[in-house]
Amino acid sequence: MIRFVLDGEIQELVDVDPTRTVLEWLREDEHRVGTKEGCAEGDCGACTAVIGELIEDRVRYRAINTCIYFLPMLHGKELVTVESIGVPDQLHPVQQAMADGDGTQCGFCTPGFVMSLFAKYQGSDPALSEDVDNVLAGNLCRCTGYRPIQEAAASVEPDAGLQARFGGPKTRDLLKSLHISEAQSAEYQDPHFETARRWHRPTSEEELTDLLKRYPSATLVAGATDVGLWVTKQHRLIETAIVLNGVTSLNRIEETEQGLRIGAMVTYSDAIAHLARLHPDFGELVRRIGSTQVRNSGTIGGNIANGSPIGDTPPPLIVLNAQLELASSEGARTIPLEDFFIDYGKQDLRTGEYVRSVLIPPLADGLVFRTYKISKRFNQDISALCGAFAFEIEDGVVTSARVAFGGMAATPKRAAACEAALTGQPWTEATIDEAANAMARDYAPITDMRASAPYRMKTAQNLLRKAFLETGAPNRTRILEGVRL
Amino acid sequence: MLKRLQRGAPGNAVEGDVHTPRRHDSAHLHVSGQARYTDDLPEPADCLQIYVAMSERAHATIDKMDLSAVRTAPGVVCVISAEDIPGANDIGPVVQDDPVFAETKVFYHGQPLFAVAATSRKAARLAAMRAELEYTDAPALLDIAAARAAEDIIETPQTMRLGNAAEAIASAPTVLNGALEMGGQDHFYLEGQIALSVPGEDGALLIYSSTQNPTEAQHLIAHLLHKPSSAVTVEVRRMGGAFGGKETQSTLVAAIAALVTHKTGQAAKLRLDRDDDMIMTGKRHDFQIRYQAGFDAQGLLHGVSFDLASRCGFSTDLSLAINDRAMFHSDNCYFLRNAEIVSHRLRTHTVSNTAFRGFGGPQGMLGIERLMDQVAFEVGRDPLDVRLDNLYGGEGKNLTPYHQVVEDNVAGELIETLAASSNYRARRAEIEASNKQPGVIKRGIALTPVKFGISFTAKHLNQAGALIHVYADGTIQLNHGGTEMGQGLMVKVAQVVAHEFQVDIDQIKIMATSTEKVPNTSATAASSGSDLNGMAAQVAARKIKDRLIGFLAERDGVPIESVVFENNRIRAGDTDYSFQEVVKAAYFGRISLSATGYYRTPKIHYDRDKHRGRPFFYFAYGAAVSEVEIDTLTGENRVTRTDILHDVGRSLNPAIDMGQIEGGFIQGMGWLTMEELVYDAEGRLRTHAPSTYKIPTSADRPGVFNVEIWDKGSNQEHTIHHSKAVGEPPFMLAISVFSALTHAVSGAADHKVFPQLDAPATPERILMAVDAVRAELD
């Protein structure tokens, strides 16, 4: 059974399609149509709603894309939609500001913007950016040009009394009464595929390993920012879904002597501050992954486990020599992350195994680390290529070089020839030219809708030059200045 | 920062009078999720959900289309294809070459083959996947070059002539040649195409359609179903964006829903998934432009020739008028002296391209602005000076290539004002100096103007109707043929009516646009919405007002001239009444309180065979300065500052107009920078969702964005309260971004080489252009 809070009441859903999205439930089952569908792939934000979660003793509100958020993922949470926060005669301050500030034209994207701004208004999420554009980059508007929306957002001063309408004692009690530490599961007879389907929501790794033993081909659902599209776009049948967000042991971040250990279920939003502390470039890279809504759902573990050649975290993780911890009923094992990626769609993941965590060792003193993401649009775009560099330079000589790229091969991949051309050489432009040329032996990128092969190669080589320039850099070398996190 | 607009009624004016800023009439509904779009309407019981299956080939013969497994799939109620159409299998708006469903051949990847109606959308989609399809491929022409080589055209090439371009160019001191390619653009309205069809009695149909063009949908659906137009009603309250994409393309969706209702007797809804919408429906035409210019040492043009070629797709749709408009705007603000403009309309095996904000105008205008940049570079002058020197002027310098005299030219004054307020000249000097310093980041700046012709170039479309009811309690219902797509048409027309009756705008209820209220309307397009419907509503309101005046004058025995409507009151001689009192009395006095209004645009005429005449009632003007920076290692780029000064005549509603200016600019910026339509070798569109097709986000708007409505603006023609159309013209202000990017790229080579930059100027195109200018410098 799926239990969650909506408008101060507990909703109980039984006999539902485990891959039915929250948006479908709202619009088609509840006829609660304020939340809109614009793309059904988590890219336009028209379907944005807010999720309240009990974190210690407070309710933290975060925006999500309901179009790729499966109903079982809601279990134990509060759902807040545009209808929850205001009505035409009594608008919420963010609604009022959007209406009075000409923030609406066709109005179709508006409820999504309102909900992203509502999450900001609540002020309950320390991970949420202070930069309004960053908060709103996951909400597309085709009419206004954004200036009035941005100004409306900036004009709203949160009022503590109004903030307290949400997440108060009653909501907290309701959330506590949902007993989220109990495992859930259900079976559903699917009329479309004419087959039985099931979902499980384990709350411990023991339960998870048992489930994986029973259902070795089960689909693990972390944030569903990828798996969601298997359903909404590819119409794939997911027979057994294991929803991981109840397994709290996978949701930990630890800064230890061995380094920064990030549990597989840690979202980008929760990881970003830690990664930014490791290096500002890493923080900025993760800030540019997806949108606020995507980062609130998507996980570091998912970004690794799906094996995509254009996932953004593997290149920097690889050059930082990150170690991946995998676990199953047979026990746990640790491998260098770069060894995880075997070929396109093929990872070193054994039957019944899951990604438990990734460990980033402490950065060596004086390590030169850079990572860059190249895409047609700065925000919420999938990389054409993503590069990462880690150099150790002593007395003007490169003693160690690690270079890795996404988008340049069938997997995230190190540039062995490039690294060899750097190692032991003086840190000079001549060396960089040699190493850039060597990169042509490391990669044979493809041409697709994001970029051509020649552009990918040229830019990969130029990113090495950029990293070099930045070690001396008298002038600006980047279009984007750092964005406030 | 934007000047804060003063709100509220000044002095003795009514709330929501004309020339006052007023927020969108539905704003309170938009923000609370209570504004109803077609997909939000309660569905009738047993409403079917439809899915449309699409061709998987660009050009092929269909050898086999076995749908038996589709019909027996769970939840399926009916399957329809071309043979189920009672009338003609055609929804072509101009030429009859637009089938609803493919018959024996397919002409683009994504062409509708058949539709499945089922108890749920998911059931319909899964069922459609069971179809057994076999094709035999035929050679496919997938781009402009291929179609041009094969001479596959939708219309013979058209030519527009002024003077003798060939002679003038040949005898000019300097001649240059150039070429430019520009991509198409997806509308990316946030609300995808949708229609809900509801059966009525005796064969009647009511169709809720997200459309800019209810009348055309009504007429074409009647034709399709072999019914009289009177049996079909099409209604739309609002669209979630349209931008031209719902001028003709919406008919396809409405027609399929109507066909299902016709066949089953059940209500039926078709809502296209985003990917299907982008694959199945038309977009902005991509263009290739070649040009030749002859000019003197100052860059003054002696003659210009343009060769325009566009990808029309597999059918005609609106491509004739769109390509005409590209020709009409190949002069932009400049007197070409001698011009020859040749337009090639090419048929390809890709989706039929369609109307999109600007309607060919942006493509034509980008050609001449590129030419201006290149001429200026050639003569070594600031492009702004070359632009200023070539502007239309008085007698002898005011004839367009289509022989319309430019009578309302304000471009020079606008440009000079903007150049001063934006400090353009000093900034340009500083940028060029700083680009000479070493560094990865180079900057560019450009000022480009806009002159956009206002009227449908198909003369018969320049007409409109309205229907106003005043009820006995003094409240008013407003109907007209215009549709609301977010542009604020409804509030503007309501302001016109509030002004006529001198009542607060809250007294006026804005009604959905329906073919049963106002017949034979034109699409809400060509920026004409408030020009046409505002006038029609004014006529209707004045009819009722005149009746009230006559009634009151006679009853009170006062002269007609002494009856005055002012600030929610009506004065008759020395007596003062409320509007409500007078209306109630008029009802009891048996006065008709309902009226239609009708308007047609005067003065316009056009001889398309000769491409001469006065196609435009007037012109709208604007200018923009944009500053950009580029990363010469990656091609990444962004707009750091834009200043805009735009002429909307006497604005009906400055708040709404400001939204059109800013929104149009950003949309144009997207077209020219990041929005890229990529087709593969099989003719499949690879960028068919927001994950791959990138429109600007909030973070992409210029870092500094100064936008002003020109305070001297007026319309010398008699338009509604002397306002000007504003829907499309601001889109082309974004050409300043493209010119600035061109300038920045030249900055990578010390401003010594003129770059060959094509649009959209993605990071890839910019990097390639940077490398090319540097290679040429070495």
Side-chain angles (χ1 to χ4, degrees):
Chain A
M1 188 195 297
I2 302 165
R3 304 176 81 214
F4 60 94
V5 176
L6 177 67
D7 294 346
E9 287 177 16
I10 290 175
Q11 301 280 325
E12 293 186 347
L13 307 184
V14 287
D15 198 28
V16 291
D17 178 344
T19 55
R20 191 156 180 78
T21 66
V22 172
L23 181 64
E24 288 168 329
W25 179 77
L26 282 170
R27 293 188 59 84
E28 294 174 16
D29 298 353
E30 295 296 299
H31 307 291
R32 196 172 162 121
V33 294
T35 311
K36 310 299 182 192
E37 179 183 312
C39 69
E41 62 174 12
D43 259 282
C44 80
C47 68
T48 302
V50 164
I51 297 289
E53 274 181 277
L54 206 53
I55 306 291
E56 287 156 7
D57 204 37
R58 292 191 61 207
V59 184
R60 183 192 65 196
Y61 289 98
R62 280 183 169 173
I64 56 138
N65 289 312
T66 58
C67 71
I68 49 170
Y69 203 89
F70 298 140
L71 282 171
M73 295 164 67
L74 261 190
H75 182 74
K77 297 175 179 167
E78 181 189 8
L79 175 65
V80 185
T81 72
V82 70
E83 292 91 343
S84 309
I85 70 166
V87 293
D89 290 342
Q90 199 178 355
L91 296 175
H92 187 275
V94 300
Q95 293 173 318
Q96 193 72 51
M98 283 281 283
D100 291 343
D102 304 310
T104 84
Q105 286 187 25
C106 86
F108 198 83
C109 69
T110 309
F113 275 93
V114 162
M115 294 315 291
S116 285
L117 292 175
F118 168 77
K120 181 170 165 59
Y121 185 92
Q122 284 304 103
S124 57
D125 179 10
L128 186 62
S129 174
E130 290 186 10
D131 182 283
V132 174
D133 289 331
N134 206 26
V135 171
L136 295 179
N139 292 90
L140 298 179
C141 166
R142 192 57 152 164
C143 297
T144 63
Y146 301 104
R147 190 273 313 162
I149 297 174
Q150 201 274 341
E151 284 189 9
S155 73
V156 176
E157 284 292 331
D159 173 275
L162 276 170
Q163 282 176 326
R165 275 176 55 204
F166 293 86
K170 188 189 167 204
T171 304
R172 293 200 293 270
D173 288 346
L174 285 172
L175 286 171
K176 281 175 194 159
S177 77
L178 297 175
H179 303 296
I180 56 170
S181 57
E182 289 171 18
Q184 295 284 327
S185 66
E187 196 167 280
Y188 169 73
Q189 195 62 38
D190 191 313
H192 301 107
F193 291 105
E194 297 175 306
T195 177
R197 295 168 52 203
R198 61 193 72 78
W199 65 274
H200 294 269
R201 183 176 179 278
T203 52
S204 71
E205 290 189 68
E206 292 70 37
E207 288 163 14
L208 172 59
T209 46
D210 283 351
L211 284 167
L212 281 170
K213 223 168 157 179
R214 262 164 68 200
Y215 306 109
S217 61
T219 301
L220 295 180
V221 178
T225 56
D226 190 23
V227 176
L229 278 70
W230 300 1
V231 174
T232 63
K233 294 297 171 181
Q234 298 166 17
H235 316 299
R236 272 156 74 171
L237 167 67
I238 293 177
E239 271 190 350
T240 305
I242 301 177
V243 174
L244 295 173
N245 67 7
V247 185
T248 48
S249 62
L250 295 178
N251 198 17
R252 290 191 193 123
I253 302 185
E254 298 162 306
E255 295 192 27
T256 69
E257 279 183 11
Q258 289 91 49
L260 177 64
R261 186 185 302 279
I262 302 174
M265 282 298 292
V266 171
T267 61
Y268 299 113
S269 292
D270 285 328
I272 193 165
H274 296 271
L275 294 169
R277 268 202 299 279
L278 212 57
H279 195 282
D281 265 19
F282 211 151
E284 172 65 3
L285 178 79
V286 175
R287 181 195 72 77
R288 285 181 54 197
I289 293 176
S291 59
T292 298
Q293 294 93 316
V294 168
R295 292 190 296 273
N296 285 344
S297 294
T299 62
I300 302 286
N303 198 228
I304 294 167
N306 79 359
S308 166
I310 44 176
D312 280 331
T313 58
L317 288 172
I318 287 171
V319 302
L320 294 176
N321 198 21
Q323 304 293 307
L324 194 64
E325 190 184 6
L326 303 159
S328 71
S329 57
E330 311 288 304
R333 64 190 175 109
T334 298
I335 59 170
L337 177 62
E338 61 178 298
D339 294 344
F340 181 67
F341 304 104
I342 298 168
D343 203 344
Y344 184 76
K346 190 171 178 218
Q347 289 80 255
D348 180 11
L349 191 67
R350 297 170 190 163
T351 304
E353 214 170 35
Y354 61 93
V355 173
R356 177 181 276 167
S357 69
V358 62
L359 174 75
I360 309 170
L363 270 58
D365 283 345
L367 183 81
V368 175
F369 171 77
R370 290 289 183 278
T371 184
Y372 310 99
K373 175 180 167 76
I374 303 295
S375 49
K376 280 183 202 167
R377 189 174 73 189
F378 284 118
N379 284 278
Q380 210 205 171
D381 197 357
I382 292 164
S383 295
L385 67 160
C386 171
F389 305 89
F391 304 122
E392 288 177 71
I393 303 161
E394 282 171 33
D395 301 328
V397 173
V398 181
T399 56
S400 142
R402 291 172 71 92
V403 175
F405 275 89
M408 293 292 288
T411 61
K413 185 171 172 261
R414 279 177 72 181
C418 173
E419 291 176 1
L422 289 163
T423 309
Q425 299 300 313
W427 185 240
T428 60
E429 200 171 335
T431 301
I432 294 297
D433 285 343
E434 277 295 311
N437 290 338
M439 220 182 262
R441 298 200 296 278
D442 290 318
Y443 300 118
I446 58 162
T447 292
D448 66 8
M449 67 286 209
R450 296 198 172 87
S452 71
Y455 174 76
R456 284 192 160 103
M457 180 54 74
K458 177 82 188 177
T459 305
Q461 292 167 328
N462 281 355
L463 289 177
L464 175 64
R465 295 193 170 91
K466 187 183 288 266
F468 171 74
L469 287 174
E470 287 180 350
T471 58
N475 294 319
R476 271 179 67 209
T477 54
R478 304 188 192 189
I479 294 274
L480 275 198
E481 311 285 358
V483 170
R484 269 179 301 156
L485 294 173
Chain B
M1 292 298 283
L2 181 75
K3 266 194 202 159
R4 280 279 161 199
L5 298 165
Q6 293 298 315
R7 306 269 164 173
N12 60 349
V14 293
E15 277 294 330
D17 203 346
V18 295
H19 308 310
T20 60
R22 175 97 192 163
R23 76 180 197 193
H24 196 285
D25 50 276
S26 297
H28 60 300
L29 304 177
H30 294 153
V31 297
S32 56
Q34 302 299 315
R36 281 184 178 185
Y37 302 82
T38 303
D39 197 36
D40 303 337
L41 300 173
E43 291 175 6
D46 76 7
C47 181
L48 299 172
Q49 307 293 331
I50 307 171
Y51 181 78
V52 179
M54 299 182 287
S55 162
E56 295 162 324
R57 297 287 193 279
H59 187 203
T61 304
I62 303 171
D63 296 327
K64 178 182 172 190
M65 189 163 84
D66 181 350
L67 305 180
S68 48
V70 182
R71 292 178 209 280
T72 57
V76 171
V77 173
C78 89
V79 178
I80 55 168
S81 56
E83 62 203 26
D84 298 292
I85 297 172
N89 178 19
D90 178 66
I91 48 167
V94 179
V95 175
Q96 280 64 58
D97 63 356
D98 252 315
V100 173
F101 295 116
E103 294 181 5
T104 56
K105 285 182 155 190
V106 292
F107 297 104
Y108 74 97
H109 187 278
Q111 184 174 359
L113 298 175
F114 63 91
V116 187
T119 49
S120 76
R121 205 160 164 256
K122 188 168 185 178
R125 293 168 84 160
L126 290 170
M129 291 161 77
R130 301 187 183 200
E132 288 180 38
L133 296 162
E134 285 172 19
Y135 307 86
T136 301
D137 283 319
L141 305 171
L142 297 176
D143 55 25
I144 291 172
R148 204 160 177 179
E151 294 179 23
D152 202 346
I153 54 179
I154 62 157
E155 187 188 29
T156 53
Q158 301 290 303
T159 304
M160 209 173 256
R161 280 195 186 86
L162 174 70
N164 188 328
E167 266 182 28
I169 294 169
S171 62
T174 312
V175 176
L176 67 71
N177 291 288
L180 171 66
E181 293 183 13
M182 63 199 80
Q185 184 178 28
D186 189 85
H187 303 84
F188 210 86
Y189 26 65
L190 263 289
E191 177 211 34
Q193 304 275 0
I194 182 169
L196 169 65
S197 166
V198 181
E201 65 175 32
D202 203 13
L205 280 178
L206 168 59
I207 297 152
Y208 298 95
S209 168
S210 181
T211 181
Q212 297 171 247
N213 206 347
T215 287
E216 190 166 273
Q218 176 203 18
H219 292 174
L220 289 170
I221 288 168
H223 193 57
L224 200 72
L225 299 180
H226 211 64
K227 285 176 186 287
S229 288
S230 57
V232 179
T233 301
V234 177
E235 178 175 320
V236 54
R237 172 59 187 89
R238 65 173 61 80
M239 287 164 271
F243 314 110
K246 295 171 181 172
E247 184 169 351
T248 60
Q249 306 299 294
S250 48
T251 305
L252 174 70
V253 171
I256 292 172
L259 279 166
V260 170
T261 295
H262 181 76
K263 184 155 180 184
T264 61
Q266 288 173 246
K269 185 197 278 186
L270 172 54
R271 172 168 68 84
L272 294 186
D273 175 72
R274 175 62 60 183
D275 297 67
D276 295 348
D277 185 309
M278 291 183 73
I279 291 167
M280 197 188 300
T281 69
K283 303 161 202 321
R284 183 184 297 285
H285 294 60
D286 46 325
F287 267 65
Q288 290 184 356
I289 297 182
R290 296 178 205 152
Y291 52 82
Q292 188 173 49
F295 50 94
D296 69 12
Q298 294 300 299
L300 194 71
L301 295 174
H302 287 202
V304 172
S305 72
F306 278 109
D307 177 286
L308 312 177
S310 80
R311 180 215 298 259
C312 298
F314 85 101
S315 73
T316 308
D317 189 67
L318 302 173
S319 288
L320 308 187
I322 290 165
N323 282 279
D324 285 358
R325 194 170 269 270
M327 298 167 80
F328 287 129
H329 290 83
S330 290
D331 61 341
N332 196 12
C333 296
Y334 312 110
F335 178 54
L336 304 183
R337 252 176 210 89
N338 296 282
E340 183 177 76
I341 301 162
V342 183
S343 161
H344 303 270
R345 294 100 197 262
L346 300 160
R347 188 189 302 277
T348 52
H349 296 107
T350 49
V351 68
S352 190
N353 282 329
T354 192
F356 193 149
R357 202 176 201 168
F359 205 73
Q363 293 96 319
M365 205 177 284
L366 188 65
I368 183 75
E369 292 303 336
R370 155 57 67 90
L371 184 152
M372 282 292 157
D373 283 337
Q374 194 174 350
V375 168
F377 184 86
E378 200 68 30
V379 299
R381 296 181 72 199
D382 182 337
L384 175 59
D385 293 322
V386 173
R387 286 185 165 95
L388 284 167
D389 287 354
N390 281 294
L391 291 179
Y392 280 111
E395 190 67 32
K397 279 190 71 180
N398 58 7
L399 201 60
T400 64
Y402 44 95
H403 295 252
Q404 174 164 353
V405 174
V406 180
E407 296 169 337
D408 57 5
N409 183 17
V410 295
E413 194 180 347
L414 262 182
I415 292 171
E416 296 281 17
T417 308
L418 179 68
S421 68
S422 66
N423 199 22
Y424 165 85
R425 289 176 191 281
R427 286 165 61 203
R428 184 169 192 273
E430 184 276 321
I431 285 167
E432 292 211 339
S434 90
N435 282 345
K436 291 186 194 307
Q437 305 302 314
V440 172
I441 310 296
K442 300 294 175 193
R443 292 185 294 145
I445 189 170
L447 187 158
T448 60
V450 171
K451 165 182 131 287
F452 194 76
I454 303 300
S455 291
F456 285 100
T457 57
K459 185 176 172 183
H460 70 277
L461 297 176
N462 296 286
Q463 56 174 321
L467 172 65
I468 293 177
H469 302 316
V470 179
Y471 292 89
D473 69 349
T475 59
I476 298 165
Q477 271 191 356
L478 170 60
N479 305 274
H480 53 79
T483 57
E484 177 66 37
M485 60 197 92
Q487 83 280 41
L489 172 64
M490 295 298 181
V491 68
K492 280 185 170 180
V493 178
Q495 285 175 280
V496 169
V497 174
H499 179 79
E500 290 306 321
F501 288 123
Q502 284 291 300
V503 297
D504 289 341
I505 198 167
D506 303 345
Q507 297 293 302
I508 300 164
K509 177 81 177 165
I510 292 164
M511 304 303 291
T513 310
S514 170
T515 56
E516 69 178 10
K517 296 288 180 60
V518 181
N520 308 320
T521 57
S522 297
T524 307
S527 307
S528 69
S530 50
D531 279 11
L532 295 176
N533 296 290
M535 278 294 200
Q538 186 183 55
V539 170
R542 284 183 176 174
K543 280 186 191 170
I544 298 170
K545 191 175 166 183
D546 286 347
R547 290 178 203 152
L548 292 173
I549 291 170
F551 163 74
L552 209 51
E554 187 182 326
R555 192 194 68 174
D556 289 11
V558 298
I560 278 175
E561 307 78 57
S562 77
V563 181
V564 177
F565 286 57
E566 192 177 82
N567 196 11
N568 293 296
R569 308 292 293 178
I570 302 175
R571 225 174 34 244
D574 297 332
T575 321
D576 183 69
Y577 303 99
S578 72
F579 183 77
Q580 288 78 1
E581 273 177 282
V582 174
V583 165
K584 194 170 178 184
Y587 164 72
F588 282 104
R590 298 193 301 165
I591 301 297
S592 165
L593 294 169
S594 174
T596 60
Y598 177 81
Y599 173 75
R600 58 173 168 256
T601 311
K603 295 188 178 180
I604 50 177
H605 56 88
Y606 193 61
D607 179 347
R608 193 166 181 269
D609 291 337
K610 295 197 179 82
H611 283 295
R612 285 187 184 199
R614 177 179 180 165
F616 303 121
F617 188 29
Y618 64 91
F619 295 99
Y621 296 85
V625 180
S626 289
E627 181 177 333
V628 301
E629 54 188 24
I630 62 169
D631 181 327
T632 54
L633 287 174
T634 62
E636 293 164 291
N637 60 90
R638 70 182 309 164
V639 182
T640 52
R641 175 175 168 180
T642 293
D643 295 66
I644 289 172
L645 186 57
H646 197 79
D647 166 32
V648 296
R650 285 203 67 205
S651 176
L652 284 174
N653 181 332
I656 294 290
D657 286 351
M658 190 63 86
Q660 289 298 298
I661 296 168
E662 294 179 335
F665 171 82
I666 296 294
Q667 202 173 64
M669 183 187 85
W671 172 51
L672 292 171
T673 57
M674 60 188 77
E675 295 181 35
E676 188 173 31
L677 293 167
V678 179
Y679 291 88
D680 68 12
E682 279 75 49
R684 291 178 298 186
L685 179 65
R686 304 308 303 181
T687 49
H688 48 71
S691 52
T692 46
Y693 185 79
K694 312 312 284 188
I695 70 168
T697 73
S698 177
D700 295 306
R701 70 183 197 290
V704 177
F705 198 22
N706 301 315
V707 184
E708 298 233 15
I709 290 173
W710 195 35
D711 55 10
K712 291 187 188 167
S714 186
N715 197 332
Q716 67 183 44
E717 298 296 345
H718 178 54
T719 55
I720 186 73
H721 295 284
H722 293 280
S723 61
K724 283 190 177 183
V726 69
E728 292 164 293
F731 182 90
M732 284 148 278
L733 297 168
I735 292 172
S736 60
V737 172
F738 190 73
S739 279
L741 286 167
T742 307
H743 186 227
V745 171
S746 80
D750 249 358
H751 297 289
K752 286 177 181 158
V753 181
F754 188 76
Q756 178 59 50
L757 183 64
D758 292 323
T762 55
E764 173 156 353
R765 286 209 181 77
I766 287 176
L767 183 66
M768 296 309 172
V770 163
D771 287 353
V773 293
R774 285 184 169 165
E776 202 174 322
L777 191 65
D778 293 342

